Amino acid sequence: MEQSYQKLITGNRIYAETKLFQDPDYFNKLSKGQKPNYLWIGCSDSRVPANEITSTKSGEIFVHRNIANLVVHTDSNMLSVLEYAVNVLKVEHIIVCGHYGCGGVHASMTNTFHGFVDNWLRHIKDVYHHNEVELKAIEDHEERANRLTEMNVISQVRNLAKTIIVQQAWDERELHLHGWVYGLHNGLVKDLAVIHNHQEDIDPIYQYNISKVTANI
Ligand code: CO
């Protein structure tokens, strides 16, 4: 056990030395601050590391990850990350990235009792229930799971659009929301083209009269 833990420390030494070899000023420059242009909301799955699969460097992507890349409107962790990314870092793009073969999605499609995590997976069950007709028409289990994975991402992008944080940003500037699915089998991202840029993209009941409120103050 100690050996496997030590591997990370050794790896870190190699990382730091390599970076300094390439650029002696590398950490000095990074430590001055961050100005990432992207917020990434992805799955905690160890096979979907945001920077690695997008060939981006430290400082380029602000990252939030949880099981099955969910955007739950009462999740204070996600909302805090979102607020900081949008209002302080002023990111221009938010990417929700799911992945095929997601354990969370697969688990939500069964009646198996998993324990506490079922409270979290309920959000995916709701997506399933909402799209039951289309999903049940897909006979192959794997294909059905793949479609639910895509539907889940689309649903989470919409959840972002429903937040006050995103709608307030839209009132002042451009902010683009994207839904992607990553393929564990080929390393490629599929853009689901669920881009939302305006408040009008979502159902009226979720639209806040942000400008009016601002004007009243
Ligand atoms: Co996953």
Side-chain angles (χ1 to χ4, degrees):
M1 283 302 280
E2 201 185 330
Q3 207 183 359
S4 66
Y5 153 78
Q6 199 59 39
K7 180 186 141 159
L8 302 188
I9 300 291
T10 310
N12 169 254
R13 296 283 186 273
I14 294 167
Y15 161 79
E17 281 168 23
T18 309
K19 289 292 177 194
L20 288 175
F21 178 75
Q22 288 163 347
D23 177 6
D25 214 26
Y26 182 76
F27 293 108
N28 277 342
K29 280 189 268 182
L30 262 189
S31 62
K32 288 197 174 108
Q34 61 169 335
K35 190 73 187 86
N37 199 22
Y38 314 95
L39 166 61
W40 176 277
I41 299 177
C43 184
S44 296
D45 194 301
S46 61
R47 299 163 294 178
V48 197
N51 283 117
E52 196 176 327
I53 67 168
T54 55
S55 297
T56 47
K57 302 180 191 117
S58 299
E60 285 193 83
I61 308 185
F62 200 61
V63 175
H64 175 79
R65 290 168 71 179
N66 61 45
I67 293 173
N69 40 271
L70 299 182
V71 175
V72 178
H73 72 278
T74 51
D75 177 0
S76 57
N77 184 352
M78 182 281 298
L79 290 171
S80 302
V81 170
L82 179 65
E83 186 187 50
Y84 190 76
V86 171
N87 293 341
V88 181
L89 297 173
K90 309 274 184 199
V91 299
E92 287 178 294
H93 300 273
I94 305 177
I95 297 146
V96 176
C97 186
H99 66 102
Y100 297 117
C102 183
V105 171
H106 277 268
S108 74
M109 293 173 75
T110 70
N111 295 103
T112 311
F113 167 67
H114 303 94
F116 184 82
V117 74
D118 287 318
N119 293 301
W120 186 252
L121 299 179
R122 248 290 300 284
H123 297 290
I124 314 174
K125 275 193 190 291
D126 290 342
V127 175
Y128 187 99
H129 183 63
H130 198 71
N131 297 283
E132 206 155 13
V133 177
E134 184 184 333
L135 286 167
K136 278 194 170 164
I138 305 170
E139 280 182 30
D140 183 73
H141 181 80
E142 203 61 35
E143 270 179 43
R144 194 189 295 177
N146 288 346
R147 186 67 190 125
L148 178 58
T149 299
E150 293 172 356
M151 286 167 166
N152 181 46
V153 167
I154 292 165
S155 177
Q156 305 317 317
V157 172
R158 289 204 182 119
N159 286 346
L160 276 177
K162 292 171 191 170
T163 64
I164 294 169
I165 299 164
V166 166
Q167 291 189 30
Q168 274 184 323
W170 278 340
D171 194 47
E172 298 164 3
R173 66 181 180 90
E174 297 248 312
L175 175 63
H176 307 278
L177 312 183
H178 310 265
W180 295 356
V181 182
Y182 174 76
L184 291 175
H185 59 292
N186 62 6
L188 295 174
V189 153
K190 177 179 173 184
D191 188 341
L192 298 177
V194 279
I195 299 170
H196 289 298
N197 302 316
H198 308 283
Q199 208 185 30
E200 290 69 33
D201 291 343
I202 51 172
D203 289 338
I205 191 67
Y206 297 108
Q207 297 175 11
Y208 296 99
N209 297 322
I210 306 243
S211 298
K212 238 181 241 176
V213 171
T214 314
N216 285 344
I217 296 168

